[in-house]
């Protein structure tokens, strides 16, 4: 107890939850006992965030796409799930990855979808005892393959001008 009657104490809860904390004094010959009103202390998981990026937002059907991301705080050896879907469709698991010592993850998608349209990619992790889960999504476009008119180069080209880009 400080000379002015104030006091302090440290307590580190070992579990998540809500705690009711009181301070009490047994009293002495000069002063009666006293007990404070309860103070509520809530221990929650720490927040986390995950980000993901692509080396290109416009992809030719079946081409390679490089995916990279980072978990914050930078936790190592954390499982990250990468999924994709046609926009508005059902998610399809693409890869289960582990973060490196900097919280980063990378994946090379060797054979992207062959059907044109707008797709979404999501990176997520389930969290752990200390950190909340988080996820991040972004959109990318699989371009339409256009065959050139007869008499021109017979290799297919992609048509970028007709596809809307949404980020």
């Amino acid at each position: 107890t400080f000379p002015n009657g104030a006091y302090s104490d440290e307590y580190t809860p070992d579990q998540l939850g809500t705690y009711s904390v009181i301070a009490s004094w047994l009293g002495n010959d000069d002063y009666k006992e006293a007990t404070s009103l309860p103070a509520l202390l809530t221990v929650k998981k720490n927040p986390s965030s995950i980000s993901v990026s692509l080396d290109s937002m416009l992809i030719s059907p079946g081409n390679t796409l490089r995916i990279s991301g980072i978990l914050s705080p930078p936790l190592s050896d954390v499982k990250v799930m990468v999924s994709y879907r046609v926009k508005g469709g059902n998610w399809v698991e693409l890869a289960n990855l582990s973060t490196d010592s900097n919280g980063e993850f990378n994946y090379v998608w060797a054979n992207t979808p062959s059907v044109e349209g707008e797709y979404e990619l999501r990176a997520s992790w389930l969290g752990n005892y200390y950190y909340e889960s988080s996820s991040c999504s972004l959109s990318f476009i699989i371009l339409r393959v256009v065959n050139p008119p007869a008499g021109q180069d017979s290799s297919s080209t992609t048509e970028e001008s007709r596809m809307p880009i949404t980020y």
Side-chain angles (χ1 to χ4, degrees):
T1 305
F2 299 108
N4 66 356
Y7 56 89
S8 70
D9 192 19
E10 290 185 25
Y11 171 68
T12 304
D14 59 357
Q15 293 185 21
L16 302 174
T18 301
Y19 296 82
S20 178
V21 180
I22 59 168
S24 62
W25 183 58
L26 296 176
N28 62 20
D29 292 339
D30 298 326
Y31 297 98
K32 294 172 66 176
E33 67 183 53
T35 301
S36 70
L37 294 173
L40 292 180
L41 168 68
T42 302
V43 179
K44 299 185 209 177
K45 291 183 176 188
N46 292 305
S48 73
S49 66
I50 194 167
S51 63
V52 65
S53 62
L54 306 175
D55 67 344
S56 178
M57 304 305 272
L58 300 172
I59 302 124
S60 295
N63 276 10
T64 298
L65 180 63
R66 286 172 180 72
I67 301 166
S68 59
I70 189 165
L71 177 65
S72 181
L75 303 173
S76 64
D77 203 31
V78 167
K79 301 298 178 208
V80 173
M81 184 170 70
V82 177
S83 305
Y84 76 98
R85 68 180 179 180
V86 173
K87 187 166 184 163
N90 294 324
W91 290 105
V92 175
E93 186 177 315
L94 178 61
N96 279 305
L97 310 172
S98 292
T99 57
D100 65 16
S101 60
N102 297 317
E104 297 175 0
F105 56 93
N106 294 286
Y107 182 73
V108 176
W109 190 357
N111 193 16
T112 57
S114 59
V115 178
E116 71 174 275
E118 188 171 358
Y119 288 76
E120 295 173 297
L121 185 106
R122 176 177 68 188
S124 59
W125 84 295
L126 297 176
N128 61 21
Y129 185 77
Y130 300 104
Y131 292 96
E132 295 175 343
S133 65
S134 61
S135 67
C136 175
S137 299
L138 52 79
S139 296
F140 64 97
I141 304 290
I142 299 293
L143 300 170
R144 184 162 81 107
V145 175
V146 177
N147 293 319
Q152 291 186 5
D153 182 4
S154 61
S155 64
S156 295
T157 59
T158 57
E159 181 180 5
E160 298 180 18
S161 62
R162 295 189 186 180
M163 295 300 298
I165 300 172
T166 306
Y167 297 100

